[in-house]
Amino acid sequence: MLVSKQTPLVGRGRDLDRLRDAIDATTDSGAVVVVTGEAGIGKTALVEAASDHAVGFLVLRCAGHEGESPTGFTALHELLHPVLPRVEALTPRQRGVLRRAFAVEDGPPPEHLGIGVAVLALLEEVAATTKVLLVVEDLQWLDRPSADVLTFLARRLTGGPILLVLTARSALGTVPAEHLVLEPLSHEDSTALLAATAPHLDEATRNHVLREAMGNPLALRELASLPPGDAEFPVRTTPRLEQAHLGQVADLPASSRTLLLLAAADQDLTVTDLLTAAAGLGLSADDLDPLERGGHVDVDGDRVRVRRSLLRSVVYRAASTAERGRAHLALAAVARDPLRAAWHRSVAATGRDEALAAELEAAASRAVSRGARAEAAAVLRRAADLSPDVACRVRRLAATAEVARQAGLPRLAQRVVAEALPLAEDPAVVVRLATTDIVNALMAGLPASGDGVLSVVRHLADHPAEQTALLWAAAVREVVLPHERDGGQAILAELENVEESGEPLRQIALGLLGRASRPRDLLPPSTTDAGVLLSAGLLAELLHDLGAAHRSFLACRDRLRHAEADGSHALAWLACVRVLVGEVRDGAADAARAERTATDLGLSSVAAAAAASGAVAHAWRGDDVETARAHERSLAQPCEVRWISTTARGHWAAGVSALRQRRFRDASAHLAGVEVHRTTSLWALGDIVEAAVHSGRTDTAVRALADAERDASAFDSPHLWMLVHRGHALVGSDPVDRFESAVAAGLDSPAVLELARTRLAYGEWLRRGRRVVEAREQLAEAVRLFTTRGAQGWADRAAAELRAAGVTPPRSAAGANLTPQEAQIAGLAAAGLSNKEIAERVFLSHRTVGAHLYRVFPKLGVTSRAQLARALRDAAP
């Protein structure tokens, strides 16, 4: 029975109108539309019909396919292939990033987000001369590196007329987009579609097809295409629909079916590659003709691909193991990329093969070097499967887990560790697996396996260096995660039993758990190891040594500039400390970057921590709306895996915001939440006392001060002594002496903002006591400190007090009203960087950078880039 090849678009009028409206609206800035629905529901047909409306657009396409090989950026290369000559318009760095990503040239590994920025820059270059429509089908089957870049683009398409249309089986919750959900066709629309595509069906057959297809357009067409008299109609299941697809190619010559299998086994083939591989199997170019005439493959320029993803999957799965193996070997023989060749040979392998495993391992190393870590993880996993020797297999699994963690594939890393750890015997490999598991769980918010670590430690009894390294990682986890039982005591017991080695890891671990004899001697450590530097920063926080914490986290960040996952982790911690030492704008910018990167990589714990640090920055800046939003994002994780510092710092930010607005009861309610993290609760002491005093709960303030005074004495921290003295002054205990002592301690502390708060509180007290002249001095200094450090909300409050004392405050410094990102971009522009160079630094498009500078100039009162440096110097402390 003949079925028309052109299936009309029935029942999708509203959806088509919405897509056409999105196309019409794409004039100056970008947008994203996600079309979702089950297989066969008509996503491709809808997008094709909408594409016909995109007159004047350059249409770029790519598609994912089930069973796609993991070779990195395959789909991205397919999408960008027509515009790759335009890379010459990019900066040298961006050109190099794309060329390394596409394995055109060798070089250092490009950053994951750097690839995204380079692609965005390329598309905006194209969009400067013509509107662009990007059509990406079956996102769920795309190779992971390409999918990551497209997700990155979806969040940043603001710099030109670019419309990104994605189709997927299910919704993409993390992508800001207009969503079109395609539902099954109504009975009326199904009947109309069937009448148009198979008008000669008898009534009984038509009713049966309608009942079995259940509104799925593909099922309607496939079931209607069965030969007359076929008594067994398949129910609406994938195997039956696959049989319908196989029926479409059953009449092809055997040689053409083999050629179709070759095309199905690798969707990123040139015509030359396909025909060369085909020649190796005794086929010729003539065998391609029936595939083209039958509409089974598309030949577009020098590229060839199977037209429909379902057909590709069906053809591949229907082939025997031997047939697939021969196809992959033929493709390996013509592959130009060594990784792609090795992958094809590995798929064809029928047994373990050390030489092939070693080749894959080397290829994975090259993939890492060009930034394709997800691809490298898949290749390493296959290398492990092919390894005859158990020790080699476990070593490669350990490498797989760590690369997967760095690629933002935390659940894959967790599964691989669980598989490999019981088989591991080499102490170094055991520690690598266990440490990867700990860090992975911490950063991605996965359940931790605390008891397992101690059992592994005991298993390493004759290897003190490895024991120490693992106990150090466990100690870091212990101080970060919430815990019901005192796991720290068990870790301490093991640390004290371990022979001293692996310094400074052992001493830092003891310090984190409160047992180091002279912990301050460890700060900052004389090492370049990023993990040690990060843990030293955590130790410095516990010791309330903000200067050492600041230096340690800065050094850690510098070591991890090109490591996106671990770099975002370092930035999340650094951001909060930068705010505390008065670098509010830099802290806010670091928090925003860390949150974006961690979100892109699926590191939910790091993203939440960065949001909390950002909330603290926004609270000091006086941006109450952004404070509330960041606080809400910081609490998105389940509390059992959320870092205790994240919970505390989010509540602290909300409390500071309420306190600045003199909502004292609300402030007290928020600040009650900081108690889960002792360090943060001590940092918030001044706020807790102020809120309690003004809420009529002086007894609460007195108790908090008594506890904190013991800590200030034990740690000998000027920062804490400043807060303690200020708190006593606020409750009325020797106010003059206490305020003077607080100011003196603050001058010895890097906590500049708390010093400004102390001067503000002192000035308010003096003014109320009619000691106006003395009050002016304190209030004027508070205004200066708040303003120059970017705490504009608090500067406004101090300025109001200064006016009440009879003094007109100085005009706000230039730049005081810049957002953190505007301040960061303005600083880079003042340093002489071009918009494109700035874009590479902050992971935005160069057009978005230009838009930020367009807003910055009037805020600073300048008209050219040459004036930026002086304007920003005037705002500097």
Side-chain angles (χ1 to χ4, degrees):
M1 180 174 298
L2 294 176
V3 179
S4 69
K5 291 184 179 179
Q6 276 301 114
T7 304
L9 199 62
V10 175
R12 302 297 186 204
R14 291 183 179 178
D15 299 311
L16 183 57
D17 286 344
R18 288 178 64 183
L19 270 180
R20 287 173 171 168
D21 289 345
I23 290 170
D24 291 338
T26 304
T27 54
D28 298 317
S29 62
V32 183
V33 180
V34 179
V35 182
T36 58
E38 65 184 17
I41 202 65
K43 301 184 292 292
T44 296
L46 177 67
V47 172
E48 286 293 330
S51 298
D52 293 340
H53 185 70
V55 178
F57 281 73
L58 172 65
V59 182
L60 303 176
R61 303 174 184 273
C62 71
H65 303 278
E66 187 175 6
E68 189 74 80
S69 76
T71 48
F73 306 112
T74 299
L76 189 65
H77 187 267
E78 179 186 349
L79 180 73
L80 299 178
H81 186 261
V83 296
L84 285 180
R86 300 286 292 273
V87 299
E88 296 304 322
L90 305 183
T91 65
R93 181 179 176 183
Q94 289 173 337
R95 287 199 300 272
V97 162
L98 286 180
R99 286 169 175 165
R100 295 197 299 278
F102 294 144
V104 175
E105 66 179 38
D106 295 326
E111 293 180 344
H112 171 89
L113 298 184
I115 297 169
V117 170
V119 172
L120 185 58
L122 174 61
L123 290 173
E124 290 189 348
E125 284 295 333
V126 176
T129 56
T130 182
K131 294 184 284 187
V132 179
L133 173 61
L134 305 174
V135 177
V136 179
E137 295 193 58
D138 288 321
L139 183 66
Q140 72 277 0
W141 302 130
L142 255 59
D143 60 277
R144 177 61 186 261
S146 295
D148 287 344
V149 171
L150 288 166
T151 302
F152 173 92
L153 292 179
R155 296 192 178 98
R156 293 166 174 84
L157 286 180
T158 58
I162 305 170
L163 177 62
L164 172 59
V165 178
L166 303 162
T167 73
R169 294 280 177 87
S170 57
L172 309 174
T174 61
V175 175
E178 179 180 358
H179 289 267
L180 292 180
V181 181
L182 300 190
E183 303 291 350
L185 298 177
S186 67
H187 179 76
E188 292 75 13
D189 288 333
S190 296
T191 302
L193 178 60
L194 198 57
T197 55
H200 303 297
L201 288 180
D202 60 66
E203 184 175 358
T205 303
R206 183 169 58 251
N207 289 338
H208 196 106
V209 169
L210 289 170
R211 183 170 61 252
E212 297 293 346
M214 297 175 64
N216 184 289
L218 176 62
L220 284 165
R221 189 178 67 180
E222 300 300 341
L223 297 179
S225 68
L226 288 172
D230 193 341
E232 180 71 20
F233 276 87
V235 295
R236 187 171 165 268
T237 61
T238 301
R240 299 298 180 90
L241 287 178
E242 289 178 356
Q243 287 302 313
H245 274 281
L246 288 174
Q248 294 178 14
V249 299
D251 293 335
L252 289 172
S255 55
S256 294
R257 291 200 303 272
T258 302
L259 190 62
L260 184 59
L261 174 60
L262 277 174
D266 191 333
Q267 191 71 346
D268 190 36
L269 289 171
T270 65
V271 175
T272 301
D273 289 340
L274 176 64
L275 294 180
T276 303
L281 296 177
L283 309 177
S284 71
D286 292 339
D287 297 313
L288 182 60
D289 186 60
L291 300 180
E292 287 190 85
R293 291 183 180 277
H296 304 303
V297 299
D298 282 325
V299 177
D300 184 8
D302 65 340
R303 317 298 290 185
V304 60
R305 66 186 184 94
V306 181
R307 175 168 290 178
R308 297 172 61 189
S309 59
L310 183 56
L311 176 62
R312 181 190 178 211
S313 299
V314 167
V315 167
Y316 186 80
R317 283 200 295 260
S320 68
T321 301
E323 289 170 332
R324 288 198 296 265
R326 286 192 292 272
H328 281 290
L329 287 175
L331 291 168
V334 302
R336 305 173 194 185
D337 178 7
L339 173 57
R340 205 171 192 85
W343 178 260
H344 280 303
R345 283 195 293 275
S346 75
V347 176
T350 57
R352 300 193 188 279
D353 184 330
E354 175 57 31
L356 185 52
E359 186 181 356
L360 285 173
E361 188 174 19
S365 178
R366 291 192 293 272
V368 169
S369 74
R370 69 174 197 262
R373 287 184 173 85
E375 166 190 355
V379 172
L380 282 168
R381 184 74 176 83
R382 182 61 178 156
D385 290 341
L386 292 173
S387 303
D389 180 70
V390 174
C392 290
R393 188 183 318 149
V394 173
R395 177 178 59 77
R396 286 165 179 148
L397 286 173
T400 302
E402 179 59 19
V403 172
R405 182 191 73 77
Q406 295 174 7
L409 300 170
R411 296 197 178 277
L412 172 61
Q414 187 181 52
R415 289 195 301 272
V416 172
V417 168
E419 176 185 346
L421 199 52
L423 303 174
E425 295 184 356
D426 184 321
V429 174
V430 170
V431 169
R432 186 177 189 187
L433 283 164
T435 303
T436 293
D437 195 35
I438 289 173
V439 176
N440 188 53
L442 271 181
M443 294 174 64
L446 299 175
S449 52
D451 294 336
V453 171
L454 294 179
S455 65
V456 171
V457 167
R458 294 173 189 127
H459 181 69
L460 297 171
D462 296 329
H463 303 276
E466 285 77 11
Q467 282 184 310
T468 299
L470 190 50
L471 287 167
W472 162 76
V476 171
R477 182 181 65 187
E478 183 66 21
V479 300
V480 170
L481 283 179
H483 47 84
E484 296 179 359
R485 60 187 184 282
D486 194 359
Q489 290 301 317
I491 297 170
L492 269 174
E494 295 295 336
L495 273 170
E496 290 170 347
N497 289 332
V498 173
E499 176 185 333
E500 291 200 19
S501 62
E503 303 296 350
L505 295 185
R506 184 173 185 274
Q507 287 302 314
I508 289 179
L510 288 170
L512 290 172
L513 300 173
R515 281 294 175 84
S517 56
R518 299 175 62 184
R520 287 189 187 278
D521 293 347
L522 304 171
L523 302 175
S526 55
T527 181
T528 58
D529 183 274
V532 176
L533 289 167
L534 183 70
S535 62
L538 297 178
L539 176 58
E541 283 193 358
L542 292 174
L543 298 174
H544 299 279
D545 188 339
L546 291 180
H550 186 240
R551 291 190 297 276
S552 296
F553 288 140
L554 275 175
C556 180
R557 178 208 62 183
D558 291 343
R559 290 293 300 169
L560 295 172
R561 281 193 185 277
H562 301 295
E564 291 159 355
D566 293 332
S568 67
H569 187 193
L571 281 179
W573 289 106
L574 172 63
C576 188
V577 172
R578 294 191 86 163
V579 174
L580 295 185
V581 300
E583 299 172 2
V584 179
R585 296 188 188 94
D586 289 335
D590 285 346
R593 178 174 175 180
E595 187 177 359
R596 284 198 306 269
T597 303
T599 299
D600 286 340
L601 295 176
L603 305 176
S604 58
S605 290
V606 176
S613 293
V616 173
H618 292 309
W620 280 102
R621 291 179 58 239
D623 190 335
D624 302 316
V625 172
E626 284 303 317
T627 300
R629 289 173 177 167
H631 181 211
E632 183 178 359
R633 294 196 304 274
S634 76
L635 300 179
Q637 269 193 311
C639 58
E640 61 270 16
V641 294
R642 189 191 313 138
W643 300 351
I644 52 177
S645 58
T646 297
T647 300
R649 290 171 191 183
H651 285 306
W652 183 26
V656 170
S657 179
L659 198 61
R660 185 184 53 77
Q661 300 172 70
R662 302 183 185 277
R663 295 187 291 109
F664 299 114
R665 292 189 180 278
D666 290 342
S668 288
H670 286 301
L671 291 167
V674 305
E675 295 176 0
V676 297
H677 188 232
R678 181 61 179 165
T679 298
T680 305
S681 69
L682 288 169
W683 290 350
L685 176 66
D687 307 302
I688 292 170
V689 170
E690 184 176 347
V693 168
H694 287 286
S695 300
R697 298 168 56 240
T698 305
D699 55 334
T700 299
V702 170
R703 284 195 301 272
L705 285 167
D707 290 341
E709 193 157 358
R710 288 191 291 271
D711 287 305
S713 179
F715 293 118
D716 192 24
S717 165
H719 175 206
L720 289 188
W721 275 121
M722 171 175 52
L723 299 178
V724 168
H725 288 312
R726 187 173 92 209
H728 278 298
L730 289 173
V731 299
S733 174
D734 298 323
V736 174
D737 288 343
R738 287 291 191 173
F739 272 129
E740 290 290 343
S741 296
V743 170
L747 290 171
D748 288 334
S749 164
V752 179
L753 295 180
E754 290 295 354
L755 174 59
R757 286 278 300 279
T758 298
R759 290 190 181 278
L760 172 59
Y762 192 11
E764 289 173 334
W765 182 84
L766 288 168
R767 190 180 68 79
R768 287 196 302 271
R770 300 183 184 278
R771 300 168 62 173
V772 177
V773 174
E774 296 168 88
R776 290 170 180 169
E777 178 186 353
Q778 299 297 333
L779 293 171
E781 184 61 11
V783 170
R784 186 189 73 81
L785 288 174
F786 283 136
T787 301
T788 58
R789 298 293 181 161
Q792 191 58 40
W794 285 94
D796 292 342
R797 175 170 156 178
E801 286 287 336
L802 186 57
R803 278 191 293 271
V807 176
T808 300
R811 182 172 173 268
S812 294
N817 295 318
L818 298 184
T819 68
Q821 193 162 66
E822 287 171 350
Q824 184 183 27
I825 289 171
L828 293 170
L833 276 69
S834 69
N835 286 7
K836 291 181 178 180
E837 291 168 332
I838 296 170
E840 292 174 358
R841 294 277 190 95
V842 298
F843 298 125
L844 295 172
S845 75
H846 70 278
R847 296 183 186 279
T848 301
V849 169
H852 278 297
L853 288 173
Y854 180 79
R855 292 190 293 270
V856 163
F857 278 28
K859 287 185 179 183
L860 293 178
V862 301
T863 57
S864 72
R865 295 171 89 99
Q867 297 171 312
L868 281 174
R870 178 165 184 172
L872 292 173
R873 271 198 308 273
D874 291 342

